[in-house]
């Protein structure tokens, strides 16, 4: 049964919460693709970085709650490509996977981007994450054919794929 979902903009005091969600999710989704040392460093970096990100301001971070418990967040805004929006990050704690919380955050974000007069949105996701690719496909995203490698620190690049979709229509 789906619980009650609420969404609000993250506040400066939410850094620890965002860090725990990010570290927990990243450790499962990205960690196995890295060496153990890089995975451990990556998890700790993600756990610690959100206080500074929130203090900087910039693109808003939305925090999603399931039954008043924080479980997922998303950050979106303008892309480096003119006229295009970008979802910079979307992570959900493994405890809320499959609950609809991430989908609700994505839908809310697409509505906000539509309200800001964007026509298209893109994002980058792990090529080898079937779970993420299924999630985005379910919500109308398709591969663009663009890809690039990202090196998390040991010279072994991980492939990322670009996905995009129109945002003129309500979210799927």
């Amino acid at each position: 049964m789906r619980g009650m979902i609420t969404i609000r903009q993250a506040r400066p005091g939410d850094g620890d919460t965002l860090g725990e969600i990010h570290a927990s999710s990243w450790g499962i989704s990205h960690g196995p693709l890295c060496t153990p040392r890089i995975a451990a460093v990556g998890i700790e970096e993600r756990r610690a970085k959100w206080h500074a990100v929130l203090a900087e301001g910039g693109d808003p971070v939305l925090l999603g709650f399931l039954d008043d418990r924080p479980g997922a967040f998303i950050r979106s805004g303008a892309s480096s490509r003119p006229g295009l929006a970008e979802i910079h990050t979307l992570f959900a704690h493994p405890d809320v996977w499959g609950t609809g919380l991430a989908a609700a955050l994505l839908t809310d974000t697409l509505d906000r981007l539509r309200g800001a007069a964007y026509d298209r949105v893109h994002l980058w996701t792990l090529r080898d994450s079937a779970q993420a690719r299924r999630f985005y496909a379910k919500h109308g995203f398709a591969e663009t054919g663009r890809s690039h490698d990202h090196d998390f620190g040991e010279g072994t690049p991980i492939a990322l794929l670009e996905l995009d979709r129109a945002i003129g229509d309500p979210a799927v």
Side-chain angles (χ1 to χ4, degrees):
M1 178 189 234
R2 183 173 162 166
M4 185 179 79
I5 292 174
T6 54
I7 297 169
R8 68 163 169 79
Q9 188 161 335
R11 302 175 187 136
D14 291 325
D16 288 340
T17 298
L18 297 176
E20 187 54 38
I21 293 167
H22 197 178
S24 296
S25 181
W26 192 92
I28 291 172
S29 64
H30 292 56
L33 302 173
C34 302
T35 65
R37 186 181 73 75
I38 291 298
V41 168
I43 288 167
E44 287 313 307
E45 285 175 355
R46 279 140 189 87
R47 187 169 275 125
K49 78 180 220 173
W50 286 97
H51 287 288
V53 171
L54 293 173
E56 289 171 4
D59 291 330
V61 178
L62 298 180
L63 180 58
F65 296 78
L66 181 64
D67 295 328
D68 297 322
R69 205 172 120 232
F73 69 93
I74 190 168
R75 188 175 195 198
S76 66
S79 170
S80 60
R81 293 176 16 216
L84 189 63
E86 182 172 356
I87 295 174
H88 303 295
T89 190
L90 169 58
F91 282 94
H93 193 283
D95 290 349
V96 301
W97 289 355
T99 65
L101 182 56
L105 268 174
L106 180 59
T107 298
D108 186 272
T109 295
L110 293 173
D111 289 344
R112 289 171 187 250
L113 293 172
R114 185 179 314 103
Y118 285 103
D119 294 325
R120 294 198 73 75
V121 61
H122 76 116
L123 58 88
W124 294 91
T125 194
L126 294 173
R127 179 197 64 205
D128 294 335
S129 177
Q131 179 181 1
R133 290 171 67 190
R134 278 192 308 271
F135 173 81
Y136 290 120
K138 180 178 177 181
H139 295 282
F141 285 83
E143 293 181 27
T144 65
R146 295 178 69 192
S147 66
H148 71 85
D149 291 337
H150 181 79
D151 181 352
F152 284 99
E154 283 195 343
T156 305
I158 296 174
L160 300 175
L161 299 177
E162 183 185 45
L163 307 175
D164 82 344
R165 66 162 279 173
I167 53 178
D169 299 324
V172 176

Coordinates of all heavy atoms in Angstrom, one line a residue, residues 2 16 79 99 118 121:
R2 N 0.5 2.2 -0.8 CA 1.3 3.4 -0.9 C 0.9 4.3 0.3 O -0.2 4.5 0.6 CB 0.9 4.1 -2.2 CG 1.7 5.4 -2.5 CD 1.4 5.8 -3.9 NE 1.7 7.2 -4.0 CZ 1.8 7.9 -5.1 NH1 1.6 7.2 -6.3 NH2 2.2 9.1 -5.2
D16 N 22.2 16.7 6.4 CA 22.4 15.3 6.8 C 21.4 14.3 6.2 O 21.8 13.2 5.8 CB 22.4 15.2 8.3 CG 23.6 15.8 9.0 OD1 24.6 16.0 8.4 OD2 23.4 16.2 10.2
S79 N 20.1 23.5 -18.0 CA 21.2 22.7 -18.5 C 22.2 23.7 -19.1 O 22.0 24.9 -19.3 CB 20.7 21.9 -19.7 OG 21.7 21.2 -20.4
T99 N 7.9 2.5 -3.9 CA 6.7 3.1 -3.2 C 6.0 4.2 -4.0 O 4.9 4.6 -3.6 CB 7.2 3.7 -1.9 OG1 8.0 4.8 -2.1 CG2 7.9 2.7 -1.0
Y118 N 10.1 25.5 -19.9 CA 11.0 24.6 -20.6 C 10.2 23.6 -21.4 O 9.1 23.2 -21.0 CB 11.9 23.7 -19.6 CG 13.0 24.5 -18.9 CD1 12.8 25.0 -17.6 CD2 14.1 24.8 -19.6 CE1 13.8 25.7 -17.0 CE2 15.1 25.5 -19.0 CZ 15.0 26.0 -17.8 OH 16.0 26.7 -17.2
V121 N 13.7 18.2 -21.2 CA 14.5 18.0 -20.1 C 15.4 16.8 -20.4 O 15.0 15.9 -21.1 CB 13.7 17.8 -18.8 CG1 12.8 16.6 -18.9 CG2 14.6 17.7 -17.6

